[in-house]
Amino acid sequence: MKKKQKQQVAKSAIGNENSLLAPLLVDSAALKASFGRKKEIHEFQTIDIEMRPIFEEEGWEIHKEGVRRVRIKKVKELHAQLEDQVWSLFRRLGYPELSGDDFQIHYLDSAGVARRKSIDIFAKDDETVIVAMCRSRESRGKKTLQKDLIDLESIQKPLANSIKKHYGASFRPKIIWMCVTQNIIWSEQDIERANSANIRVVTENELQYFDAFAKHMGPAGRFQFLAEFLEGQDIPELTDVKVPATKGMLGNHVFYSFVTTPRHLLKVAFVNHQALNHPTGRPTYQRMISPARIKEIGEFIRKGGYFPTNLLVNFTEKSRFDLLPNRENSHAAIKFGWLHLPHKYKSAWVIDGQHRLYGYSHLEDRFLDQSIAVIAFEKMATTLEAELFVTINQKQKSVQKSVIVSLQSDLKWGSSDPKERASALASRLAKTLASDPTSPFFQRFSIQGVTAKENQSLTIPELVNGLNRSNLLGRAYQKNWLSGVLSSSTDDKTVDRARRFLNIYFSKVRVANPERWDAAKQGYVATNPGVRAHLLLLSEVFRHIEEKQPQELSLLEVDELMQTIEKFVSPVFAFLKDATNADLYDRFARKFGEGGVREYADNLNELIHKQFSNFGSEEFLERLERKSADRVRIANQDVIDLSKVLTDHTINILKKHYGTAETSSGDKAYWELGIESPKIKEEAYSRQLQDKDKAKGGKENYLQILDLKAIVKQRSNWPLFESTFNIPLQGEKGKTYYLDWMDKFNELRRIPAHPSSTRGYSKDDLEFLQFLKSEFYSRLEREGK
């Protein structure tokens, strides 16, 4: 490995020179983070077939083409993957020293006894030290962290002393203590313990954000990272930096106009990104940085370009401004003097111009001393920052709906207008749930500007819409405000009461079947329509209880409220726990739009109605009656549609495999070669001749279900169709071909083909049809057919 490729990494122990292990050298090949990849693919020259057993014996799987080898790697356990992810984050952020495996810090305890502490992640630069412990669960759930937090708190001072001693008396770092977790639902007690011990809680929420930011920004992302975790702490080298400036008023706000350098501003700046969604930063309003724009702006600057427009920032503290002599400051509204720039982390919030500022972040050091023009407000409220952001950007690039919805929660908070109040309450609650590590909604919302994970299937605007339509928090009525069941004495208390109740309810939804909840869209539960439908269900349950058993549910404590509704919602939890995939698919799959939400909610209501016959509004009961007749119509259409899909899929596969060229017989290759039975071809041709409706198309449209079964089952065709057609029925085992479902479906097909008052769908027929739709369509979907 070339020297210039090496990156210094902390040795495997600190504080005991006699036990230091060799340093871990890092380059792209030795990068610790593999994120659990199961395979590494390598290109190879063609190998002789005789050599294959040798490679296979050594653990290499050889492809039949002989051109690639695949080495199977053991998938790392989750805690190791988490450590890798955190380690890689600090590497991207440019920390020059990073811990290796089995890293330890030696220290003296309060009794003077030499001890050592294993540290999951250690990172150091010239100013800071990161000491992080990583904790995880295989699946999301509760896990107490009290012991870990107490242990770390008790040895913070000895560890800090050992670190400072190891690096020398001149090194006085800012130490950031962290507890990084994955799949852990934090308890309120653990959060309080961490806060009291100055241990920063880093969950998937923050980790995902900083991962994305670091990938966009590289080492420059350290500015934003340190701003978040060292907020308000001094940056010694920036003390007493002053620039000539103009002081004035814009509206009712003090502003300063001055010129500074990117070198200074990058260190004190902070961008209030929506993706971070930290409660103390509300309202969060900035879009995530675009790497393409950063690169484009950087190249523009490198070629001599500059921006004549001001960056717009907000100083979080009052700034020192030394006036020039009075004779030079005669203007009443404008004053000239020396402005002492802020010298603390996170002391200059960027309102407009984040890309222009960070465009310097990837450039050579000489560019960091260029001049940039700045207008800085002083101690402006974050809500006013957001209003300025919207004012500036609504005339330029359109602001995404999620940003606007999020901002309404803060800009309209406390409004006397009932509609605005309702929207603000719903938006504030949605963001609170999204950022609450104790909530089943934590890490389940897609984040604007950050690539969504598979399980991030929810969006803030849809949850806000659902909360508003459910009226759980209250509603506007003829310019008045009517409280809801989850309302409390103040809006802040309403948000907290609703947060606690919805966390309890949706935790029960999740616990009923964690796999389905965690499967997001594929589980049909943790989806936008699903969550909104549950909110409507809660509203209907509350209405039913207050109507049948008059009582003020809004006066009950959260736990009492859940106990009161438990017997009504238990059929829903039982269904989620025990339902087959086919049942779940039929009731809850592919529900879109307002109609889809209503249908989803009706299906939930129906589960309760089966056990409590008087449950449900008049509108619901009317829809339920219509649904019975609709089921026959829908089943008929499902049979017709599925028959067509089966035929089309079979013919398309044959065309793809055998081709569409004309053979010597005059038929196409897929027809001549793909169908061995002359009888099947002759009967299809005969049916075509007898059909006077020429619009029905070619001979393949006259194949019947049992014809398709024979075609699929051909020895030459079976490998083409096995993945989609081999569907075992309940109780079937030990067969080569699981195709009996085609016989059963063929019988079902006769119902819409030959309508009769004596022949209808039985319950078993409908359940079989649900099963078949779920199985066949999902297989097609997996194969991208």
Side-chain angles (χ1 to χ4, degrees), residues 4 14 29 38 55 104 128 142 198 226 229 254 279 286 294 343 357 392 408 411 555 595 603 698 753 756-757:
K4 65 181 182 180
I14 282 180
K38 295 182 180 179
F55 283 100
Q104 297 178 343
T128 60
K142 294 182 178 180
N198 195 31
L226 294 178
F229 292 101
V254 173
Q286 290 277 16
I294 292 294
H343 52 87
L357 175 61
I392 293 168
Q408 294 310 305
L411 301 182
L555 300 180
N603 287 332
S756 167
S757 60

Side-chain angles (χ1 to χ4, degrees), residues 249-416:
M249 298 286 290
L250 283 175
N252 296 321
H253 306 291
V254 173
F255 81 90
Y256 300 98
S257 178
F258 58 93
V259 173
T260 186
T261 65
R263 187 185 302 279
H264 186 113
L265 195 54
L266 279 168
K267 286 199 170 185
V268 298
F270 174 73
V271 184
N272 194 14
H273 287 132
Q274 278 257 313
L276 186 54
N277 192 27
H278 196 284
T280 60
R282 288 175 178 162
T284 52
Y285 54 87
Q286 290 277 16
R287 308 178 187 95
M288 191 64 162
I289 276 180
S290 164
R293 288 187 67 193
I294 292 294
K295 183 177 180 181
E296 180 184 353
I297 289 172
E299 288 302 314
F300 172 74
I301 296 170
R302 187 177 277 117
K303 293 176 182 178
Y306 61 92
F307 296 97
T309 53
N310 292 290
L311 270 70
L312 193 61
V313 304
N314 180 30
F315 290 161
T316 59
E317 296 184 357
K318 187 174 178 60
S319 304
R320 175 181 169 185
F321 185 72
D322 298 333
L323 290 171
L324 292 177
N326 289 337
R327 65 177 181 275
E328 299 177 25
N329 265 321
S330 58
H331 197 286
I334 300 294
K335 299 298 179 181
F336 304 97
W338 288 94
L339 174 67
H340 293 253
L341 295 178
H343 52 87
K344 294 181 178 180
Y345 291 104
K346 204 176 181 178
S347 55
W349 289 39
V350 179
I351 301 172
D352 187 58
Q354 62 167 329
H355 288 94
R356 280 173 280 154
L357 175 61
Y358 279 104
Y360 286 92
S361 61
H362 292 291
L363 300 181
E364 293 78 11
D365 187 74
R366 59 190 173 91
F367 289 100
L368 296 182
D369 291 316
Q370 288 188 355
S371 296
I372 51 175
V374 180
I375 287 181
F377 291 98
E378 188 174 70
K379 300 184 69 173
M380 175 181 280
T382 313
T383 53
L384 297 178
E385 285 183 21
E387 287 179 348
L388 264 180
F389 172 81
V390 172
T391 300
I392 293 168
N393 286 278
Q394 68 183 0
K395 301 299 182 183
Q396 301 176 21
K397 184 176 180 180
S398 61
V399 181
Q400 288 194 3
K401 181 181 179 181
S402 61
V403 178
I404 297 298
V405 170
S406 178
L407 287 175
Q408 294 310 305
S409 70
D410 300 287
L411 301 182
K412 304 302 182 184
W413 188 254
S415 173
S416 58

Side-chain angles (χ1 to χ4, degrees), residues 51 252 255 272 283 325 376 382 467 471 487 496 565 641 704 781:
M51 296 293 293
N252 296 321
F255 81 90
N272 194 14
T382 313
L467 289 167
N471 297 325
S487 296
D496 185 61
I565 70 168
D641 291 344
Q704 296 185 341
E781 197 172 288

